[in-house]
Amino acid sequence: MPTLGAIADDFTGATDLATMLVARGFRTVVAVGADAVAPSAQPEVQEAPDLPDRWAAADAVVVALKSRTAPVVEAVAESRRALRALRAIGCRRFYFKYCSTFDSTPRGNIGPVADALLAETGERRTVVVPSFPATGRTVYRGRLFVHDDLLDESPMRHHPLTPMLDSRVDRLLRPQTDHPVTRIGLETVRAGVARLRAALDDDTHADALTVVDAVDDEDLRTVAAATEDFGLVTGAAGLAVGLTGPHPDQARARPASGPRDPGVVLAGSASAATRAQVTHALGRLPHRRLDLTRLRADFDTAVADLTAFVRDRWAHDPARPPLIYAVAAPEDVETDTPAGAEPASTLVERALAACAGTLVDAGARRLLVAGGETSGAVVSALRARTLAIGAPIAPGVAWARAEVCPSDTNHTVDLALKSGNFGGTDIFTQAWEQLV
Ligand SMILES: Nc1ncnc2c1ncn2[C@@H]1O[C@H](COP(=O)(O)OP(=O)(O)OP(=O)(O)O)[C@@H](O)[C@H]1O
Ligand SMILES: O=C(O)[C@@H](O)C(=O)CO
């Protein structure tokens, strides 16, 4: 029965945290939305008497939401619903997972969701820990770094939805929350678990969201140990490095596909890391770029041509998964939508989602998807309700086994959801080797 319940504000973030939990010995299931956990999770629901096997065999459940940039009211309502659903299947500790680059705006959604989850759990305080050293995110003196750059000097400064214009986590959070926002520095963390705990227990932090410095995994282990009885922690996936689950040797789900099963890469992300991965794959995998003009002129035919191309490549060389991508270079990003036309963002998401559905019905059994929004669109089109996390591919990215039903037939597939900025340059060609 799961005891740890997590709520992630996007799909790739959910698999990122789940990947870490599996590595830490938690048998982990990602549930797509609160309804995939407990359809009628009302406030009064406390315990489900007959847990489905899926939950009985899990140590942790991560609910994947699409709430990062949703209207605040919606994000709060979905997060509350997720928490109630997790509680109904037995979870007693909660983890609010947001982006390691603290993606949010002065209105939210990190602060409002943290406030709501504190109220829902009856807790008065929590910690704020976006640090994830394995992916270059560290917090020192309250400032968030992305590798060598301060957050506001990193490419996140230009993010279209959540431009990050400050690197001080407390300053970013203060306008978003009703709680005081406090800080605890690295010297206290490095003084050890007891000193950090004593600091957290000081009156200053009694009702606060406390941003805690962490520069390496040992710091995160100290933070996790000092907060082990907190009913709610918040952060990126890094904090989970300090958690220990009960099944160190059996936590990974087995792959669903074999080496000769057809695969495909669907890349809708325009992030710098994905662009480098696309460029690397162009010389190595059969590929097609989405043509926005054609998609706008005749969506169905354009998608049918793309899926026909993939099927043709499978017939020639099943071992090389074709790549369908949106952006290889910054100039591929459409910044101005032509008058009266559908914006490129939804067009690309719809196109890749449609390709995914058709290709799974045509035999695709392994899909690597790049981009958080893109992953949300693909997972929704495939009508996956749960993902069982399997082999890791890179920090924050793993294969997951999913039952899907894009039209009217069920299939089991291996799915990897890659955050835009995660993964090495060769991930589109190398990820398949982990599926053994
Ligand atoms: N050529 C393009 N012009 C404009 N927008 C595009 C283009 N290609 C893709 N997009 C959109 O850019 C967005 C990329 O977001 P997505 O979340 O998928 O990737 P990301 O931001 O790199 O990933 P993450 O959220 O994991 O960091 C999607 O909405 C996608 O449809
Ligand atoms: O924490 C991260 O950076 C990722 O899991 C993510 O949320 C990107 O969308």
Side-chain angles (χ1 to χ4, degrees), residues 10 12-13 68 99 101 103 156 159-161 267-272 274 289-290 292 325-327 331-335 343-350 352 370-376 418-422:
D10 84 343
T12 44
R68 185 171 292 173
C99 193
T101 45
D103 298 14
M156 287 306 296
H159 194 284
L161 301 175
S269 154
S271 294
T274 305
R289 181 152 83 87
L290 294 180
L292 302 184
Y325 69 99
V327 174
E331 54 273 24
D332 294 340
V333 176
E334 184 181 88
T335 42
S345 55
T346 54
L347 186 66
V348 165
E349 288 175 32
R350 278 203 309 126
L352 292 177
E373 295 299 323
T374 310
S375 295
K418 186 197 83 69
S419 289
N421 278 313
F422 283 3

Side-chain angles (χ1 to χ4, degrees), residues 244-374:
T244 304
H247 292 99
D249 302 322
Q250 328 153 23
R252 273 190 209 172
R254 290 185 188 289
S257 64
R260 295 193 65 78
D261 281 327
V264 66
V265 184
L266 303 170
S269 154
S271 294
T274 305
R275 293 199 311 265
Q277 290 155 354
V278 167
T279 304
H280 178 266
L282 291 183
R284 295 165 174 85
L285 299 178
H287 53 85
R288 279 276 191 282
R289 181 152 83 87
L290 294 180
D291 181 335
L292 302 184
T293 309
R294 282 207 64 204
L295 284 165
R296 285 189 177 116
D298 184 350
F299 184 85
D300 292 344
T301 307
V303 167
D305 287 351
L306 289 165
T307 55
F309 162 75
V310 172
R311 295 169 71 167
D312 179 66
R313 292 295 94 199
W314 285 342
H316 282 86
D317 187 356
R320 283 202 310 154
L323 161 70
I324 303 181
Y325 69 99
V327 174
E331 54 273 24
D332 294 340
V333 176
E334 184 181 88
T335 42
D336 296 313
T337 306
E342 177 177 355
S345 55
T346 54
L347 186 66
V348 165
E349 288 175 32
R350 278 203 309 126
L352 292 177
C355 286
T358 306
L359 289 171
V360 166
D361 276 334
R365 292 294 173 267
R366 16 178 76 187
L367 297 91
L368 200 169
V369 186
E373 295 299 323
T374 310

Side-chain angles (χ1 to χ4, degrees), residues 149-422:
D149 295 325
L150 285 163
L151 177 65
D152 59 333
E153 293 171 9
S154 80
M156 287 306 296
R157 184 171 184 83
H158 306 292
H159 194 284
L161 301 175
T162 51
M164 303 310 291
L165 304 178
D166 196 353
S167 61
R168 277 275 298 266
V169 180
D170 56 336
R171 273 197 310 242
L172 289 165
L173 188 56
R174 218 160 265 133
Q176 303 182 29
T177 173
D178 296 333
H179 285 81
V181 179
T182 57
R183 283 208 302 118
I184 291 183
L186 193 66
E187 55 288 352
T188 307
V189 176
R190 295 263 162 110
V193 177
R195 272 284 302 282
L196 174 58
R197 179 58 194 231
L200 283 165
D201 285 343
D202 188 89
D203 281 352
T204 332
H205 308 296
D207 294 298
L209 304 181
T210 304
V211 179
V212 187
D213 281 1
V215 168
D216 61 25
D217 282 354
E218 202 45 47
D219 300 329
L220 289 168
R221 279 190 272 273
T222 303
V223 179
T227 55
E228 68 180 359
D229 62 343
F230 278 36
L232 174 72
V233 292
T234 84
L239 183 57
V241 82
L243 305 180
T244 304
H247 292 99
D249 302 322
Q250 328 153 23
R252 273 190 209 172
R254 290 185 188 289
S257 64
R260 295 193 65 78
D261 281 327
V264 66
V265 184
L266 303 170
S269 154
S271 294
T274 305
R275 293 199 311 265
Q277 290 155 354
V278 167
T279 304
H280 178 266
L282 291 183
R284 295 165 174 85
L285 299 178
H287 53 85
R288 279 276 191 282
R289 181 152 83 87
L290 294 180
D291 181 335
L292 302 184
T293 309
R294 282 207 64 204
L295 284 165
R296 285 189 177 116
D298 184 350
F299 184 85
D300 292 344
T301 307
V303 167
D305 287 351
L306 289 165
T307 55
F309 162 75
V310 172
R311 295 169 71 167
D312 179 66
R313 292 295 94 199
W314 285 342
H316 282 86
D317 187 356
R320 283 202 310 154
L323 161 70
I324 303 181
Y325 69 99
V327 174
E331 54 273 24
D332 294 340
V333 176
E334 184 181 88
T335 42
D336 296 313
T337 306
E342 177 177 355
S345 55
T346 54
L347 186 66
V348 165
E349 288 175 32
R350 278 203 309 126
L352 292 177
C355 286
T358 306
L359 289 171
V360 166
D361 276 334
R365 292 294 173 267
R366 16 178 76 187
L367 297 91
L368 200 169
V369 186
E373 295 299 323
T374 310
S375 295
V378 167
V379 168
S380 303
L382 295 181
R383 296 198 290 167
R385 287 176 64 77
T386 57
L387 312 177
I389 300 297
I393 301 171
V397 193
W399 286 107
R401 202 180 59 215
E403 310 296 325
V404 300
C405 186
S407 50
D408 48 12
T409 313
N410 292 319
H411 307 283
T412 308
V413 300
D414 291 311
L415 204 54
L417 308 180
K418 186 197 83 69
S419 289
N421 278 313
F422 283 3

Side-chain angles (χ1 to χ4, degrees), residues 45-109:
V45 175
Q46 287 301 316
E47 198 90 3
D50 302 311
L51 290 184
D53 287 350
R54 177 193 311 138
W55 308 127
D59 306 310
V61 176
V62 183
V63 179
L65 298 179
K66 220 170 177 290
S67 56
R68 185 171 292 173
T69 54
V72 176
V73 176
E74 211 176 282
V76 164
E78 282 302 300
S79 305
R80 276 182 189 272
R81 238 158 58 76
L83 189 126
R84 289 172 192 156
L86 289 166
R87 197 187 275 139
I89 59 165
C91 298
R92 291 292 172 261
R93 275 204 86 201
F94 300 95
Y95 191 132
F96 171 31
K97 158 71 178 74
Y98 40 77
C99 193
S100 60
T101 45
F102 214 69
D103 298 14
S104 54
T105 70
R107 299 199 57 228
N109 288 337

